[in-house]
Amino acid sequence: MTRSTAVPRFGVNYTPSEGWFHHWLDYDPGAVRADLDSIAALGLDHLRVFPLWPLFQPNRTLIRPRAVEQLADLVDAAAERGLDVAVDGLQGHLSSFDFLPAWTQTWHRRNIFTDPEVTTAQEEYLRTLAAALAGRPNFLGMTVGNEINQFSSGPHPDPDLIAPQQAEDWLARMLAACERGAPGKLHVHAEYDAAYHQDDHPFTPGQAARIGGATAVHSWVFNGTAQRHGPDAPATTGHAAYLIELAKAWAEDPARPVWLQEVGAPAPHVPPGRADRFTAATVAAALDCPDLWGITWWCSHDVSRSLADFPELEYTLGLLTNDRRPKPAGLALAAAVAEARADWRPPAPRSTALVLDVGGEREAPKRSVCAPGGPYFEAFAALAADGARPTALLLERVHDEAHLAARGITEILTVDDVR
């Protein structure tokens, strides 16, 4: 793959200002268009949107035509405002709530990753959504689902347990269904950071970095990073950049694009008065990573306080208020976007590599070393705090001269070198 020198994309995960994702139950085209106007005013160029799987496919053999039409209407409304759209399919999981169809639960309980009837229905659902949007120039492509890996192991209270090979087979099938529906679009899958940090997790970094059109990473500093280092530390503001570089360690193509698909400023881990600084610093650090496809901030609008039972931090993650006014973080992102576009210079290769030993690159049985507090994470953070621009290099590739040259790596350090 040829290394891109284009300005990265800048977008937002669309959370409707009225009704959150429950808006699909009483879809209001006018409200959606007002939301999109407020997003476009920030200078962003794309959205990631979230159909709720149980509402779109309430029965295994029923994909509601009206729901698909409403999704298409949203995509068309975005196009009118110069916004491209990526669509997540299997929702799945959003902001601490699970959204699974009744035909996968209780009396119909079956594993969503391995049951033949369920997986065939999932394929048809993803294909149908992709096909409905395939002819629209502003449709970017499908994401299989939002952090659907959280259903596959603990700490989920009722997981659908699978092995790594089963996860890989499932991902391949789902992405193939997306490609059948919309050939040539950017189809990806996305996991929360257990894929990189949890030793026994069936979704692996290798799958993230080798399956699909790009590697998607989700950066959340409430995972122990901000608690350990504080909101302003380089380890915290550079957390997204760390995940971007960590993901590259497993990529077979040195120029494979990485999409920072979710990143946000969660209170109180990032105090509201510092959200604008965190946003600007996080974006600057991510833009210093070669091969960055884009940054998609979480999220567009705050969750209304009229809705109950969300974790407290979820209510205030928006770049805009419920009445569509930009917040300090939104203004900071808009300024960062304008600056990047006005004077874009692709970042130089990260020539210093920190060797990563996870006990084998395929299933990565020791990947908890990469989690906050782990020796690899802390060594990487220390290098960044000292002004270095480290990247991650798997132990298995230390002597791969072609790989090192393709990535521009000229200095190799170990964790012991940093201590």
Side-chain angles (χ1 to χ4, degrees), residues 9-16 21 35-50 74 78 83-88 140 259-264 293-302 317-320 329-330 333 337 341:
R9 305 295 302 268
F10 297 97
V12 68
N13 291 276
Y14 174 42
T15 49
F21 297 110
D35 285 348
L36 299 183
D37 285 337
S38 64
I39 291 169
L42 296 177
L44 304 178
D45 60 51
H46 71 274
L47 312 170
R48 179 174 169 229
V49 303
F50 303 87
L74 192 159
L83 296 166
D84 291 341
V85 180
V87 177
D88 270 44
L140 292 170
W259 178 3
L260 179 54
Q261 195 183 51
E262 282 188 24
V263 60
W293 180 87
I295 300 171
T296 310
W297 202 263
W298 189 282
C299 53
S300 64
H301 299 80
D302 283 343
L317 287 169
L319 297 172
L320 301 133
L333 181 61
V337 170
R341 289 177 178 155

Side-chain angles (χ1 to χ4, degrees), residues 248-268:
K248 293 176 185 177
W250 279 268
E252 293 173 335
D253 178 0
R256 178 177 167 90
V258 181
W259 178 3
L260 179 54
Q261 195 183 51
E262 282 188 24
V263 60

Side-chain angles (χ1 to χ4, degrees), residues 68-268:
V68 177
E69 290 171 5
Q70 290 168 339
L71 175 62
D73 177 77
L74 192 159
V75 174
D76 290 342
E80 294 165 1
R81 290 149 180 84
L83 296 166
D84 291 341
V85 180
V87 177
D88 270 44
L90 299 168
Q91 265 60 253
H93 178 82
L94 290 163
S95 302
S96 84
F97 291 97
D98 289 347
F99 296 94
L100 294 175
W103 46 271
T104 69
Q105 298 297 294
T106 59
W107 300 104
H108 296 265
R109 185 72 167 88
R110 40 195 166 177
N111 191 301
I112 64 171
F113 301 108
T114 60
D115 182 89
E117 292 184 330
V118 173
T119 53
T120 297
Q122 291 169 335
E123 287 180 290
E124 181 58 16
Y125 172 61
L126 292 170
R127 188 205 63 78
T128 297
L129 294 189
L133 304 173
R136 289 167 165 82
N138 71 318
F139 172 52
L140 292 170
M142 298 291 297
T143 299
V144 170
N146 182 57
E147 300 184 355
I148 199 163
N149 64 309
Q150 62 96 30
F151 290 107
S152 67
S153 72
H156 192 278
D158 184 24
D160 289 349
L161 298 174
I162 52 173
Q165 187 60 54
Q166 291 173 308
E168 186 166 327
D169 293 345
W170 181 82
L171 287 170
R173 285 185 62 186
M174 297 305 119
L175 286 163
C178 296
E179 180 66 16
R180 287 196 299 274
K185 297 291 187 176
L186 180 62
H187 303 306
V188 303
H189 63 100
E191 287 76 48
Y192 86 104
D193 59 15
Y196 293 95
H197 296 343
Q198 187 174 318
D199 290 337
D200 60 350
H201 195 69
F203 286 80
T204 68
Q207 297 162 6
R210 297 171 184 173
I211 303 175
T215 302
V217 296
H218 292 190
S219 172
W220 289 104
V221 298
F222 56 62
N223 67 350
T225 301
Q227 295 93 321
R228 185 179 183 88
H229 291 275
D232 301 317
T236 305
T237 58
H239 182 263
Y242 166 70
L243 285 179
I244 292 167
E245 294 302 320
L246 185 65
K248 293 176 185 177
W250 279 268
E252 293 173 335
D253 178 0
R256 178 177 167 90
V258 181
W259 178 3
L260 179 54
Q261 195 183 51
E262 282 188 24
V263 60

